[in-house]
């Protein structure tokens, strides 16, 4: 089996650096003082149960989240900086693919938003063709998106995010609802993108076995980070066999320390 803990060479430095990152939604603090880094050129998994704040954190990184405080640097700029627009590819949890357009038409539409003007037509055409090839949909390029399988639709969304040749890809639960074979294929594609383009990928999931496929992990629970480590180091530190068991171990430890704090207050 491939050892995913071994990061690819190169890609030094940090793609994302956060210090005391806090986000308020409504009246609640949904992210509470997070400190973490996302190294360049690697796949970092953002794992945690539903409602723990994964999408909120991703929105903060891509600059679409309000009420963010603390420090959040992305590719050397404060999150949301104008120059980051074309350097980040973002696929939301409910990606927008138009069913009544073909794969190529969908891509052409988003390419025109990203890189408008008649002069850019040839470059757009090349970018669209390349992005379709990257996600292995060349033979389905002229099929209507509405006639694709779930896995193929996910790959169209991914192709949209790949259009601008982004240095950082932020993918919010890209494998949700896919069968094990499609999930495996998509993870292989993520590794190809990281290895061949030197891109940084931040991928969220609440399926713990996907954690084993990442170079690094951010484990979240209830707006806080339980761990920022490699899968190997996590398993060793918690004396467990799987990342899922390590996560449960850390949840229990966090509960114990909260109870202790409450008792001493
Ligand atoms: N518009 C909002 N106003 C107030 N609270 C919100 C709003 N949107 C989300 N929240 C809360 O923020 C918290 C984090 O939500 P978020 O969507 O980031 O979680 P998530 O980890 O992505 O969950 P899932 O795995 O279900 O996608 C949740 O408790 C949610 O109820
Ligand atoms: Mg979410």
């Amino acid at each position: 089996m491939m050892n995913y803990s071994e990061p690819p060479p190169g890609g030094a430095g940090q793609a994302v650096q956060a210090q005391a990152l806090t986000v308020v939604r409504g009246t609640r603090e949904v992210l509470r003082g997070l400190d973490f880094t996302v190294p360049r050129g690697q796949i970092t998994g953002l794992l945690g149960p539903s409602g723990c704040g994964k999408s909120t954190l991703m929105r903060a990184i891509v600059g679409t989240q309000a009420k963010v405080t603390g420090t959040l640097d992305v590719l050397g700029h404060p999150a949301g900086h104008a120059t980051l627009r074309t350097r980040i590819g973002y696929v939301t949890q409910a990606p927008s693919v138009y069913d009544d357009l073909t794969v190529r038409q969908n891509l052409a539409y988003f390419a025109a938003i990203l890189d408008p003007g008649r002069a850019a037509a040839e470059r757009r055409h090349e970018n669209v063709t390349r992005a379709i090839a990257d996600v292995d949909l060349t033979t389905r390029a002229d099929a209507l998106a509405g006639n694709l399988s779930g896995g193929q639709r996910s790959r169209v969304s991914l192709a949209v995010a790949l259009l601008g040749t982004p240095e950082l890809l932020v993918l919010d639960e890209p494998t949700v609802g896919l069968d094990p074979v499609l999930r495996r294929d998509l993870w292989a594609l993520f590794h190809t993108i990281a290895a061949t383009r030197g891109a940084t990928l931040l991928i969220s999931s609440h399926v713990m076995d996907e954690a084993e496929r990442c170079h690094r992990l951010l484990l979240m629970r209830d707006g806080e980070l339980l761990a920022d480590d490699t899968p190997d180091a996590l398993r060793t530190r918690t004396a467990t066999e799987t990342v899922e068991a390590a996560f449960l171990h850390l949840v229990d430890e966090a509960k114990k320390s909260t109870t202790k704090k409450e008792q001493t207050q």
Side-chain angles (χ1 to χ4, degrees):
M1 199 177 116
M2 186 174 172
N3 182 2
Y4 287 118
S5 307
E6 225 21 74
Q14 305 298 343
V16 181
Q17 279 184 296
Q19 273 169 347
L21 177 70
T22 295
V23 172
V24 173
R25 291 187 93 166
T27 54
R28 276 188 53 219
E29 240 179 41
V30 298
L31 297 184
R32 297 197 294 270
L34 308 190
D35 296 317
F36 66 90
T37 54
V38 174
R40 282 186 196 252
Q42 297 190 16
I43 299 181
T44 297
L46 178 58
L47 278 286
S50 182
C52 72
K54 300 181 296 295
S55 297
T56 306
L57 178 54
M58 291 186 145
R59 287 162 51 99
I61 290 170
V62 302
T64 58
Q65 180 63 50
K67 294 194 186 169
V68 181
T69 53
T71 309
L72 184 57
D73 283 328
V74 181
L75 303 173
H77 295 277
H81 194 278
T83 60
L84 293 175
R85 228 189 104 216
T86 54
R87 298 174 65 196
I88 302 176
Y90 174 40
V91 182
T92 64
Q93 207 166 339
S96 44
V97 172
Y98 297 103
D99 281 347
D100 52 345
L101 298 183
T102 66
V103 171
R104 184 181 295 281
Q105 286 166 342
N106 263 289
L107 271 289
Y109 170 78
F110 289 105
I113 296 172
L114 208 63
D115 190 10
R118 280 174 74 105
E122 200 170 317
R123 184 169 61 218
R124 277 201 302 272
H125 181 77
E126 279 170 19
N127 283 343
V128 164
T129 304
R130 194 207 52 214
I132 292 173
D134 280 349
V135 299
D136 202 16
L137 278 179
T138 304
T139 58
R140 303 291 282 153
D142 297 313
L144 286 179
N147 292 342
L148 299 177
S149 72
Q152 289 168 335
R153 281 174 66 90
S154 304
R155 282 186 278 153
V156 177
S157 311
L158 185 61
V160 173
L162 288 173
L163 274 174
T165 331
E167 292 157 63
L168 172 64
L169 270 169
V170 178
L171 311 177
D172 200 351
E173 303 213 26
T175 62
V176 79
L178 301 184
D179 69 49
V181 176
L182 287 174
R183 285 203 291 146
R184 185 198 58 194
D185 292 351
L186 212 49
W187 275 96
L189 177 60
F190 299 152
H191 278 273
T192 306
I193 292 167
T196 59
R197 293 191 177 200
T200 306
L201 285 86
L202 179 65
I203 303 176
S204 71
S205 174
H206 57 253
V207 184
M208 283 293 163
D209 67 6
E210 299 204 319
E212 313 281 352
R213 303 176 191 268
C214 301
H215 299 120
R216 286 194 73 82
L217 296 172
L218 297 172
L219 295 191
M220 275 186 87
R221 184 174 176 268
D222 205 11
E224 290 180 0
L225 275 182
L226 290 178
D228 172 2
D229 224 328
T230 64
D232 272 348
L234 257 174
R235 282 189 297 259
T236 308
R237 182 151 66 83
T238 54
T240 52
E241 301 256 307
T242 62
V243 170
E244 177 155 12
F247 178 78
L248 295 173
H249 179 92
L250 292 169
V251 168
D252 289 343
E253 268 191 349
K255 267 192 201 146
K256 267 187 226 155
S257 76
T258 321
T259 322
K260 247 190 215 155
K261 255 189 237 155
E262 280 167 3
Q263 281 169 349
T264 52
Q265 269 170 10

